[in-house]
Amino acid sequence: MEKQKPKKPFYKKWWVWLIAIIIVFAVNSNDDDKADATKEENKPAVTESAKDKPEEKKAEPQKEEPKKEDTKVEDNVPREHKSALSKAESYAKTMNMSKNAIFDQLTSEYGEKFSVEAAEYAMANLEFDWKANALKKAESYSESMHMSKKGVYDQLTSEHGEQFTADEAQYAVDNMKADFNKNALEKAKSYQESMSMSPEAIRDQLTSDYGEKFTQAEADYAIANLDK
């Protein structure tokens, strides 16, 4: 009897490996198809409106039209009003007048004879340091007329005088440079020489509220230094 050849194990047979390779290839191909399908599902849906909608153009910033310059107020002001303002400035600068005094001068029949409207425009548009004017006036009264401090104040605020406000006048007398003892003495000499008054009569005149309005100490200084 012929000896039978031993059979090969099935896994060593060539057709077994061929089947195995085909199965592996089929499984991998299926996995790839599933992965592609998953990717497609996860993609955001694009609506028809989004596809067809044209891109919106950004709005261009609007160019601002150049602003027209406002007409200057001065162009619409009557000539008389401008003239009144010019006169007011002149009185303030050269004569150190108060605001009220300038207004009266502009409208006075014996002054500039401007209309009330023109004068009001002038004073409304005149910018000036009225306290400085009051101070200059105060020093002028002290130097030229040897007035007392109270006499200067009253003259500055009087309706028949300079017509400064109380604040302006107070500023002036508080800041003026003046020797009121010397002023009292000059006034005393004037009374003695021009009116031949006695020392006691001069003293009374210097301190009187209806006279020179010096203090008692200033009057005493003047009489003590007056020629006997």
Side-chain angles (χ1 to χ4, degrees):
M1 290 180 66
E2 292 182 358
K3 290 182 180 180
Q4 292 182 349
K5 293 181 181 179
K7 293 182 180 180
K8 292 182 180 179
F10 76 92
Y11 58 83
K12 287 187 177 181
K13 294 180 179 179
W14 66 268
W15 54 270
V16 172
W17 286 105
L18 179 62
I19 294 172
I21 290 170
I22 293 171
I23 292 171
V24 170
F25 179 79
V27 170
N28 289 338
S29 177
N30 189 35
D31 289 342
D32 290 340
D33 292 341
K34 288 182 179 180
D36 293 340
T38 303
K39 288 180 181 178
E40 288 296 326
E41 289 178 359
N42 291 334
K43 282 185 180 180
V46 179
T47 61
E48 288 299 320
S49 59
K51 288 181 181 179
D52 300 335
K53 188 175 181 180
E55 292 184 4
E56 293 184 0
K57 293 183 180 180
K58 293 182 179 179
E60 295 183 1
Q62 295 182 351
K63 294 181 180 180
E64 293 185 1
E65 295 183 2
K67 294 181 179 179
K68 296 180 180 179
E69 292 186 2
D70 295 333
T71 305
K72 292 183 179 179
V73 176
E74 287 77 2
D75 294 341
N76 298 325
V77 175
R79 182 64 188 175
E80 183 191 12
H81 289 47
K82 293 180 181 179
S83 297
L85 177 56
S86 179
K87 273 290 183 181
E89 289 174 344
S90 176
Y91 279 120
K93 291 178 181 178
T94 62
M95 299 182 68
N96 307 313
M97 293 174 67
S98 68
K99 191 172 184 178
N100 287 334
I102 293 173
F103 180 87
D104 288 349
Q105 182 65 18
L106 292 178
T107 56
S108 174
E109 291 183 2
Y110 305 100
E112 301 299 336
K113 301 179 181 180
F114 283 105
S115 67
V116 173
E117 292 77 14
E120 286 177 345
Y121 169 84
M123 303 321 299
N125 289 276
L126 177 60
E127 295 181 2
F128 215 79
D129 188 343
W130 303 111
K131 287 184 177 180
N133 272 13
L135 178 56
K136 289 176 182 177
K137 277 290 185 181
E139 290 177 341
S140 174
Y141 279 119
S142 174
E143 292 170 5
S144 63
M145 300 179 68
H146 311 296
M147 293 177 68
S148 66
K149 188 174 184 177
K150 192 172 187 306
V152 170
Y153 178 90
D154 289 347
Q155 181 64 20
L156 291 179
T157 56
S158 173
E159 290 183 2
H160 305 290
E162 301 299 335
Q163 302 183 59
F164 285 99
T165 66
D167 286 343
E168 292 162 356
Q170 191 61 52
Y171 171 85
V173 297
D174 287 344
N175 290 277
M176 65 187 294
K177 296 178 181 179
D179 185 343
F180 293 109
N181 283 334
K182 182 180 177 181
N183 280 7
L185 178 57
E186 291 299 324
K187 277 291 184 180
K189 288 179 179 179
S190 174
Y191 281 120
Q192 185 183 53
E193 293 171 2
S194 63
M195 301 180 69
S196 302
M197 292 174 66
S198 68
E200 289 307 312
I202 293 173
R203 189 195 305 273
D204 289 345
Q205 182 64 21
L206 291 178
T207 58
S208 173
D209 285 338
Y210 301 100
E212 302 300 335
K213 303 175 184 179
F214 284 99
T215 65
Q216 190 64 52
E218 291 162 354
D220 290 343
Y221 172 88
I223 299 304
N225 291 276
L226 191 62
D227 294 334
K228 301 295 190 283

